[in-house]
Coordinates of all heavy atoms in Angstrom, one line a residue:
F636 N 121.3 103.3 107.7 CA 120.3 104.3 107.7 C 120.0 104.5 109.2 O 119.5 103.6 109.9 CB 119.1 104.0 106.9 CG 118.0 105.0 107.1 CD1 118.1 106.2 106.5 CD2 116.9 104.7 107.7 CE1 117.1 107.2 106.7 CE2 115.7 105.5 107.8 CZ 115.9 106.8 107.4
T637 N 120.2 105.7 109.7 CA 120.0 105.9 111.2 C 118.8 106.9 111.4 O 118.6 107.2 112.5 CB 121.2 106.6 111.8 OG1 121.5 107.8 111.2 CG2 122.4 105.7 111.7
G638 N 118.0 107.2 110.4 CA 116.9 108.2 110.5 C 115.6 107.5 110.8 O 114.6 108.1 110.3
L639 N 115.5 106.3 111.2 CA 114.3 105.6 111.4 C 113.2 106.3 112.2 O 112.0 106.3 111.8 CB 114.5 104.2 112.0 CG 113.3 103.2 112.0 CD1 112.6 103.1 110.7 CD2 113.7 101.9 112.7
N640 N 113.6 106.9 113.2 CA 112.6 107.6 114.2 C 111.9 108.7 113.4 O 110.9 109.1 113.8 CB 113.3 108.1 115.4 CG 113.7 107.0 116.4 OD1 113.1 105.8 116.3 ND2 114.8 107.1 117.2
E641 N 112.6 109.3 112.5 CA 112.0 110.5 111.8 C 110.9 110.0 110.8 O 109.9 110.7 110.6 CB 113.1 111.2 111.0 CG 114.1 111.8 111.9 CD 115.2 112.4 111.1 OE1 115.0 112.6 109.8 OE2 116.2 112.9 111.7
I642 N 110.9 108.8 110.3 CA 109.9 108.4 109.4 C 109.0 107.3 109.9 O 107.9 107.0 109.3 CB 110.5 107.8 108.1 CG1 111.3 106.5 108.4 CG2 111.5 108.7 107.4 CD1 112.0 105.8 107.2
K643 N 109.1 106.9 111.2 CA 108.3 105.9 111.8 C 106.8 106.4 111.9 O 105.9 105.5 111.4 CB 108.8 105.7 113.3 CG 109.6 104.4 113.4 CD 109.9 104.2 114.8 CE 110.8 102.9 115.0 NZ 111.0 102.6 116.4
P644 N 106.5 107.6 112.3 CA 105.1 107.9 112.5 C 104.3 107.8 111.2 O 103.2 107.3 111.0 CB 105.1 109.3 113.0 CG 106.4 109.4 113.8 CD 107.3 108.5 112.9
E645 N 105.0 108.4 110.1 CA 104.3 108.4 108.8 C 104.2 107.0 108.2 O 103.1 106.7 107.7 CB 105.2 109.2 107.8 CG 104.6 109.3 106.4 CD 105.5 110.0 105.5 OE1 106.6 110.6 105.9 OE2 105.3 109.9 104.2
M646 N 105.1 106.2 108.5 CA 105.0 104.7 108.0 C 103.9 104.0 108.7 O 103.2 103.2 108.1 CB 106.3 104.1 108.1 CG 107.4 104.6 107.1 SD 108.9 103.6 107.0 CE 108.2 102.1 106.3
V647 N 103.8 104.1 110.0 CA 102.9 103.5 110.8 C 101.4 104.0 110.4 O 100.5 103.1 110.2 CB 103.0 103.7 112.3 CG1 101.8 103.2 113.2 CG2 104.3 103.1 112.8
Q648 N 101.3 105.2 110.1 CA 100.0 105.7 109.7 C 99.6 105.1 108.3 O 98.4 104.8 108.1 CB 100.1 107.3 109.6 CG 98.8 108.0 109.2 CD 98.8 109.5 109.0 OE1 100.0 110.0 109.3 NE2 97.8 110.2 108.8
S649 N 100.6 105.1 107.5 CA 100.3 104.5 106.2 C 99.9 103.1 106.2 O 99.0 102.5 105.5 CB 101.6 104.7 105.3 OG 101.4 104.1 104.0
A650 N 100.7 102.3 107.1 CA 100.3 100.8 107.2 C 98.9 100.7 107.8 O 98.2 99.7 107.3 CB 101.5 100.2 107.9
T651 N 98.5 101.4 108.7 CA 97.3 101.4 109.4 C 96.1 101.7 108.5 O 95.2 101.1 108.4 CB 97.3 102.2 110.6 OG1 98.4 102.0 111.5 CG2 96.0 102.0 111.4
K652 N 96.5 102.8 107.6 CA 95.4 103.1 106.6 C 95.2 102.0 105.7 O 94.0 101.7 105.3 CB 95.9 104.4 105.9 CG 94.9 104.8 104.8 CD 95.5 106.1 104.1 CE 94.5 106.6 103.0 NZ 95.1 107.6 102.3
E653 N 96.3 101.3 105.2 CA 96.1 100.2 104.3 C 95.4 99.0 104.9 O 94.5 98.4 104.3 CB 97.5 99.7 103.8 CG 97.4 98.6 102.8 CD 98.7 98.0 102.3 OE1 99.3 98.6 101.4 OE2 99.3 97.1 102.9
A654 N 95.6 98.8 106.3 CA 95.0 97.7 106.9 C 93.5 98.1 107.0 O 92.7 97.1 106.9 CB 95.5 97.6 108.3
R655 N 93.0 99.2 107.2 CA 91.6 99.6 107.3 C 91.0 99.4 106.0 O 89.8 99.0 105.9 CB 91.5 101.0 107.8 CG 90.0 101.4 107.9 CD 89.9 102.8 108.6 NE 88.4 103.1 108.7 CZ 87.5 102.7 109.6 NH1 88.0 101.8 110.5 NH2 86.5 103.1 109.5
E656 N 91.6 99.8 104.9 CA 91.1 99.6 103.5 C 90.8 98.2 103.3 O 89.7 97.7 102.7 CB 92.0 100.2 102.5 CG 92.2 101.7 102.6 CD 93.2 102.2 101.6 OE1 93.9 101.4 101.0 OE2 93.3 103.5 101.6
V657 N 91.7 97.3 103.7 CA 91.6 95.9 103.5 C 90.4 95.3 104.4 O 89.5 94.5 103.9 CB 92.8 95.0 104.0 CG1 92.5 93.6 103.9 CG2 94.0 95.4 103.0
A658 N 90.3 95.8 105.7 CA 89.1 95.5 106.5 C 87.8 96.0 106.0 O 86.8 95.2 105.9 CB 89.4 96.0 107.9
L659 N 87.8 97.1 105.4 CA 86.5 97.6 104.9 C 86.0 96.8 103.6 O 84.9 96.5 103.5 CB 86.7 99.1 104.4 CG 86.8 100.2 105.5 CD1 87.2 101.6 104.9 CD2 85.4 100.3 106.1
K660 N 87.0 96.3 102.9 CA 86.6 95.6 101.7 C 86.1 94.2 102.2 O 85.1 93.6 101.6 CB 87.8 95.3 100.7 CG 87.6 94.5 99.5 CD 88.8 94.4 98.7 CE 88.3 93.8 97.3 NZ 87.7 92.5 97.4
F661 N 86.7 93.6 103.2 CA 86.4 92.4 103.8 C 84.9 92.6 104.3 O 84.0 91.7 104.2 CB 87.3 92.0 104.9 CG 86.8 90.6 105.6 CD1 87.2 89.4 105.0 CD2 86.0 90.6 106.7 CE1 86.8 88.2 105.6 CE2 85.6 89.4 107.3 CZ 86.1 88.1 106.8
A662 N 84.6 93.6 105.0 CA 83.3 93.8 105.7 C 82.3 93.9 104.5 O 81.1 93.4 104.6 CB 83.3 95.1 106.5
K663 N 82.6 94.6 103.5 CA 81.6 94.8 102.4 C 81.4 93.5 101.7 O 80.2 93.2 101.4 CB 82.3 95.8 101.4 CG 81.3 96.0 100.1 CD 82.0 97.0 99.2 CE 81.1 97.3 97.9 NZ 81.7 98.2 97.1
D664 N 82.3 92.7 101.4 CA 82.2 91.4 100.9 C 81.4 90.5 101.6 O 80.9 89.4 101.1 CB 83.6 90.7 100.5 CG 84.3 91.6 99.4 OD1 83.6 92.4 98.7 OD2 85.5 91.5 99.3
S665 N 81.5 90.6 102.9 CA 80.8 89.7 103.8 C 79.5 90.2 104.4 O 79.0 89.7 105.4 CB 81.7 89.2 105.0 OG 82.1 90.4 105.8
D666 N 79.0 91.3 103.8 CA 77.8 92.0 104.2 C 77.9 92.3 105.8 O 76.9 92.0 106.5 CB 76.6 91.1 103.9 CG 76.4 90.9 102.4 OD1 76.6 91.9 101.7 OD2 75.9 89.8 102.1
S667 N 78.9 92.8 106.2 CA 79.1 93.3 107.5 C 79.4 94.8 107.7 O 79.7 95.4 106.7 CB 80.2 92.4 108.2 OG 79.9 91.0 108.1
I668 N 79.4 95.2 108.9 CA 79.7 96.7 109.1 C 81.1 96.7 110.0 O 81.0 96.0 111.0 CB 78.7 97.4 109.9 CG1 77.3 97.4 109.0 CG2 79.0 98.8 110.3 CD1 76.1 98.0 109.8
L669 N 82.0 97.4 109.5 CA 83.3 97.4 110.2 C 83.1 98.3 111.4 O 82.6 99.5 111.3 CB 84.3 98.0 109.3 CG 85.8 97.9 109.9 CD1 86.3 96.4 110.0 CD2 86.7 98.7 109.0
G670 N 83.5 97.8 112.6 CA 83.4 98.5 113.8 C 84.7 99.2 114.3 O 85.7 99.4 113.4
K671 N 84.9 99.3 115.5 CA 86.1 100.0 116.1 C 87.2 98.9 116.1 O 87.0 97.7 116.0 CB 85.8 100.4 117.5 CG 84.8 101.7 117.6 CD 84.7 102.1 119.0 CE 83.6 103.4 119.0 NZ 83.4 103.9 120.4
I672 N 88.4 99.4 116.4 CA 89.6 98.6 116.6 C 89.6 97.9 118.0 O 89.4 98.5 118.9 CB 90.9 99.4 116.5 CG1 91.0 100.0 115.0 CG2 92.1 98.6 116.8 CD1 92.3 100.9 114.9
K673 N 89.7 96.5 117.9 CA 89.8 95.8 119.1 C 91.3 95.9 119.7 O 91.5 96.1 120.9 CB 89.3 94.4 118.9 CG 89.4 93.6 120.2 CD 89.0 92.1 119.9 CE 89.0 91.3 121.3 NZ 88.7 89.9 121.0
Q674 N 92.3 95.6 118.8 CA 93.5 95.7 119.2 C 94.5 95.8 118.0 O 94.1 95.5 116.9 CB 94.0 94.5 120.1 CG 94.0 93.1 119.3 CD 94.3 92.0 120.2 OE1 94.7 92.2 121.3 NE2 94.4 90.8 119.5
A675 N 95.7 96.3 118.1 CA 96.5 96.5 117.1 C 98.0 96.4 117.5 O 98.3 96.5 118.6 CB 96.5 98.0 116.5
N676 N 98.7 95.8 116.5 CA 100.1 95.5 116.8 C 100.9 96.2 115.7 O 100.8 95.9 114.4 CB 100.3 93.9 116.7 CG 101.8 93.6 116.9 OD1 102.6 94.5 117.3 ND2 102.1 92.3 116.7
Q677 N 101.8 97.1 116.1 CA 102.6 97.9 115.1 C 103.5 97.1 114.3 O 103.7 97.2 113.1 CB 103.4 98.9 115.9 CG 104.4 99.7 115.0 CD 105.3 100.6 115.8 OE1 104.7 101.6 116.3 NE2 106.5 100.4 115.8
G678 N 104.1 96.1 114.9 CA 105.0 95.1 114.2 C 106.5 95.7 114.3 O 106.7 96.8 114.7
Q679 N 107.4 94.9 113.7 CA 108.8 95.3 113.7 C 109.2 96.0 112.3 O 108.8 95.5 111.4 CB 109.6 94.0 114.0 CG 109.5 93.5 115.3 CD 110.0 94.2 116.5 OE1 111.0 95.0 116.3 NE2 109.4 94.1 117.6
F680 N 109.9 97.0 112.5 CA 110.6 97.7 111.4 C 111.8 96.9 110.9 O 112.5 96.4 111.7 CB 111.0 99.1 111.8 CG 109.9 100.1 111.7 CD1 109.0 100.3 112.7 CD2 109.6 101.0 110.6 CE1 108.0 101.1 112.8 CE2 108.6 101.8 110.5 CZ 107.8 101.9 111.6
S681 N 112.1 96.8 109.6 CA 113.1 96.1 109.1 C 113.7 97.1 108.1 O 113.1 97.8 107.4 CB 112.8 94.8 108.4 OG 112.0 95.0 107.3

């Protein structure tokens, strides 16, 4: 499959959205408020 560059942006957006949902749940469970992103790592595509 050679069309990775075409789907990369959408996949990164989807993965980042899922990460935020997990962070929001953690913040809620720990009675905290979720702030801004300190740092992010896109990771490797496989």
Side-chain angles (χ1 to χ4, degrees):
F636 174 69
T637 62
L639 181 59
N640 288 336
E641 297 176 7
I642 63 174
K643 262 186 178 181
E645 178 185 350
M646 290 190 66
V647 171
Q648 183 180 4
S649 178
T651 304
K652 180 180 178 181
E653 181 179 275
R655 180 170 179 79
E656 291 173 355
V657 173
L659 284 170
K660 185 178 186 307
F661 178 88
K663 180 180 179 181
D664 294 343
S665 61
D666 294 325
S667 303
I668 299 174
L669 190 66
K671 295 181 178 180
I672 293 177
K673 180 181 180 181
Q674 62 180 1
N676 181 10
Q677 173 184 293
Q679 294 292 325
F680 278 84
S681 64

